[in-house]
Amino acid sequence: MIQAKQALLEALSEAIQEVSPGAAVPAAFESPKQAAHGDLAVTAAMQLAKPLKKNPREVAQSLVEALGRREAARRFVSAMEIAGPGFINLRLAPAAKQAVVAEVLQAGDRFGLQPPNGQRVLVEFVSANPTGPLHLGHARQAALGDALCHLFETQGFDVTREFYYNDAGVQIATLALSVQARIRGFKPGDAQWPAAAYNGDYIQDIADDFTAKKSVKADDRSFTASGDPDDLDGIRQFAVAYLRHEQDLDLQAFGLRFDNYFLESSLYRDRRVDATVERLVAAGKTYEEGGALWLRTTEYGDDKDRVMRKSDGTYTYFVPDVAYHVNKFERGFAKAINIQGSDHHGTVARVRAGLQAVDMGVPRGYPDYLLHKMVTVMKGGEEVKISKRAGSYVTLRDLIEWTSRDAVRFFLISRKADTEFVFDVDLARKQNDENPVFYVQYAHARICSVIQQHVDKGGDVSSLAGADLALLTAPSEAALMLELAGYPDVLAGAASGLAPHDVAFYLRDVASAFHSYYAAERFLVDDPQLTRARLALLAATRQVLKNALAVLGVSAPEKM
């Protein structure tokens, strides 16, 4: 069906040009809102009506006639109907729908993938400063970011996963003082305990290991403790390495690895912040007022100009962000995506304004942002706010230990990023259809079970691609095949729209279509040819479920 749809798109494009030469209306299909209306819908007539000064239904009739003269339409379309104000509904011939089974089985793991396009994209996400365990916001970023990286990989991009953090500054100084206080025997509540200190049990763990002169190794750094309670810089470096290692363990439990770690402090060490400010000053995009240096961000759509350098000589927080994104662009990433909490919304316009002001060819709208809202955890009908390990918040590892990696990944991707999400631990543990990840995985396992039953009875599944697919005529089969055929478009749309939740929605739709098929038909029937055809459809469904689950970083179990 993929080939049939492509041929029909080309035929539609030709028909549009025949009806309205030079028209800029693209050839595109939509899915009818009701299955009874057909398999594909065309809205081009309504877009062409105004420039042609004709009634949309009249234009639709002309398009139907022009499309009907094309070989692709004669071959793959069984009926074309005009509906409503000018919709054109196409009903595909059975052979067009059935073809997707062979296409999936032939492509296997590569079904839905596009060839390399020579483009690079950098996705920055999680980016947690090493001051404590990864929290729920980091967990949602991890799920969103890794799924988005997989999506861009399916579209042929060369993807780099980057983790940006700071190993210096106020937060890290507070971390070092917190550990030092623990080393000296103080604890939260004591008079000597720093007012802004971190209170979680993990601070005592760091202090104990530092005192024992242990070594710690993270993905991007390692350090050996001196054991000296007065060695504050050594405590700082050890604590950072320790917590980066802890974060690595969290990420490993989540099945995620980064390609690169970027230190905010390197922007100062390598004079990238100073160089960026100098470039902005030289471009005439700054001015001084009240002892501070301001950036003219209003010239680029911001609601007011922003302070870059305060009167005390220190830079505001968005300045290193601009320098960091200049660095991204200079590294050859013409496309960059940041995944951050919605509390970073205010930085978007400032960073983009700074990048335009440096006047080095950075595209408008660079970088792209995917902002997410908060996650609330419910357990036993009550909100969970405290983690013993972290001291004041639920961690990523808490969620994984309470449920599973698969449940955490699927749940955190199952809603649009810009909506608040309630993570129901009890629901994630359920082994029934109420649990969305179970519902999808069970579809895969159920198919594996049916195919194994066939093998156990002496059946051969090595040549299912050669099955007589014309035998697949049941309504539930047609519905399932249409779902399978939509997978490549789902991937393309989810990538371009930065919408990995679309893949989760799609998986539930495929699982629903399969479970309906399972309830409506028997697969291992007396007719060996029909059995073979139905098993071929099951094998294709299993492949698409596996491929789509992999995009979300979720496993496809064979037994449940």
Side-chain angles (χ1 to χ4, degrees):
M1 182 177 169
I2 309 302
Q3 295 175 354
K5 190 174 180 181
Q6 185 58 45
L8 287 171
L9 278 173
E10 293 173 4
L12 177 59
S13 180
E14 294 173 2
I16 290 171
Q17 292 305 310
E18 180 180 325
V19 171
S20 180
V25 175
F29 293 126
E30 298 180 6
S31 297
K33 293 182 179 178
Q34 297 182 31
H37 292 169
D39 302 312
L40 299 173
V42 179
T43 61
M46 290 176 285
Q47 300 173 63
L48 291 170
K50 187 173 182 179
L52 289 175
K53 299 180 180 179
K54 292 183 178 180
N55 183 284
R57 287 184 66 91
E58 181 184 351
V59 177
Q61 183 60 45
S62 298
L63 279 175
V64 167
E65 293 171 358
L67 190 56
R69 289 190 286 270
R70 266 70 191 176
E71 171 62 26
R74 291 195 294 269
R75 180 181 176 190
F76 297 121
V77 177
S78 62
M80 290 187 281
E81 303 162 357
I82 299 173
F87 293 101
I88 302 172
N89 292 327
L90 308 184
R91 298 183 187 278
L92 298 176
K97 301 177 187 177
Q98 295 154 356
V100 71
V101 175
E103 291 168 348
V104 173
L105 294 179
Q106 181 178 8
D109 290 343
R110 296 200 60 77
F111 180 69
L113 305 191
Q114 302 302 315
N117 60 21
Q119 299 181 61
R120 303 172 68 206
V121 59
L122 185 147
V123 184
E124 181 221 325
F125 58 111
V126 181
S127 294
N129 284 339
T131 56
L134 299 180
H135 57 57
L136 296 178
H138 301 136
R140 195 169 195 185
Q141 286 185 35
L144 289 167
D146 202 33
L148 200 60
C149 289
H150 286 142
L151 276 169
F152 275 91
E153 287 166 346
T154 71
Q155 300 306 295
F157 285 82
D158 179 4
V159 179
T160 295
R161 293 163 170 80
E162 186 154 288
F163 187 117
Y164 173 81
Y165 74 96
N166 196 3
D167 63 345
V170 175
Q171 289 184 336
I172 304 301
T174 301
L175 171 67
L177 290 171
S178 303
V179 175
Q180 187 181 54
R182 285 283 195 175
I183 292 170
R184 289 174 171 166
F186 304 125
K187 61 183 184 299
D190 291 349
Q192 299 87 344
W193 187 251
Y198 294 102
N199 297 331
D201 288 354
Y202 67 94
I203 298 295
Q204 184 64 59
D205 296 337
I206 299 171
D208 292 342
D209 283 2
F210 182 86
T211 303
K213 300 182 180 180
K214 289 187 177 181
S215 296
V216 64
K217 179 174 173 46
D219 279 354
D220 65 317
R221 60 171 61 219
S222 60
F223 193 79
T224 299
S226 67
D228 180 0
D230 295 324
D231 181 12
L232 187 58
D233 189 62
I235 292 172
R236 177 189 67 81
Q237 293 190 61
F238 182 79
V240 167
Y242 184 102
L243 287 171
R244 277 293 309 112
H245 172 67
E246 287 291 304
Q247 291 176 347
D248 288 342
L249 294 178
D250 290 346
L251 295 170
Q252 288 166 20
F254 199 66
L256 173 59
R257 286 188 67 88
F258 284 86
D259 301 305
N260 191 47
Y261 292 85
F262 195 103
L263 287 176
E264 181 181 342
S265 58
S266 72
L267 296 170
Y268 294 94
R269 184 190 66 228
D270 299 338
R271 290 201 74 255
R272 291 188 177 276
V273 173
D274 290 338
T276 298
V277 173
E278 290 165 5
R279 188 179 302 206
L280 290 167
V281 171
K285 300 299 181 181
T286 64
Y287 62 92
E288 293 199 27
E289 184 178 289
L293 181 68
W294 296 70
L295 179 64
R296 301 180 191 276
T297 55
T298 51
E299 293 184 10
Y300 303 95
D302 201 359
D303 59 343
K304 61 181 179 180
D305 292 341
R306 304 291 174 174
V307 174
M308 295 177 60
R309 188 174 59 225
K310 294 179 284 187
S311 57
D312 63 4
T314 61
Y315 291 117
T316 55
Y317 66 91
F318 88 94
V319 179
D321 282 351
V322 175
Y324 175 40
H325 287 87
V326 167
N327 174 267
K328 287 182 181 181
F329 190 72
E330 289 178 335
R331 281 187 277 157
F333 291 105
K335 186 173 185 63
I337 303 167
N338 295 351
I339 301 176
Q340 297 174 320
S342 56
D343 56 328
H344 287 79
H345 183 270
T347 67
V348 175
R350 298 168 208 176
V351 170
R352 286 175 173 171
L355 291 170
Q356 291 304 302
V358 294
D359 194 24
M360 54 183 293
V362 178
R364 285 188 176 275
Y366 183 98
D368 291 317
Y369 284 87
L370 179 58
L371 302 180
H372 67 85
K373 290 192 176 177
M374 65 180 295
V375 179
T376 301
V377 176
M378 300 293 291
K379 189 178 181 185
E382 297 181 354
E383 183 178 350
V384 183
K385 295 183 177 180
I386 303 298
S387 163
K388 185 174 186 294
R389 178 168 172 257
S392 59
Y393 57 86
V394 176
T395 70
L396 168 58
R397 211 182 304 181
D398 288 333
L399 287 186
I400 295 173
E401 290 174 354
W402 292 340
T403 58
S404 68
R405 176 202 295 183
D406 285 346
V408 175
R409 277 185 173 267
F410 195 95
F411 271 55
L412 292 178
I413 216 78
S414 63
R415 294 287 185 275
K416 289 183 65 175
D418 62 359
T419 60
E420 293 187 0
F421 179 68
V422 176
F423 191 106
D424 189 330
V425 172
D426 299 316
L427 177 61
R429 288 172 168 171
K430 285 187 176 181
Q431 300 289 300
N432 60 31
D433 292 354
E434 294 179 42
N435 180 347
V437 68
F438 177 90
Y439 184 69
V440 172
Q441 289 180 319
Y442 185 51
H444 184 273
R446 216 173 195 183
I447 293 172
C448 292
S449 176
V450 172
I451 292 176
Q452 188 59 49
Q453 289 176 44
H454 180 65
V455 172
D456 292 344
K457 293 179 179 179
D460 179 18
V461 295
S462 62
S463 57
L464 292 180
D468 182 3
L469 302 177
L471 299 174
L472 299 174
T473 57
S476 56
E477 291 168 337
L480 181 53
M481 288 185 288
L482 274 176
E483 288 290 350
L484 300 185
Y487 181 59
D489 287 343
V490 168
L491 293 179
S496 64
L498 306 185
H501 64 275
D502 283 349
V503 180
F505 291 175
Y506 172 76
L507 276 164
R508 295 175 72 170
D509 289 343
V510 173
S512 177
F514 163 72
H515 289 307
S516 295
Y517 182 32
Y518 188 94
E521 304 292 341
R522 291 174 54 239
F523 307 119
L524 306 180
V525 296
D526 293 336
D527 182 347
Q529 295 303 315
L530 182 57
T531 293
R532 191 174 176 218
R534 287 181 171 171
L535 287 177
L537 175 53
L538 291 191
T541 304
R542 176 176 64 177
Q543 185 68 64
V544 172
L545 287 170
K546 177 186 174 185
N547 291 3
L549 283 167
V551 169
L552 302 187
V554 177
S555 69
E558 296 185 3
K559 294 181 180 180
M560 292 183 71

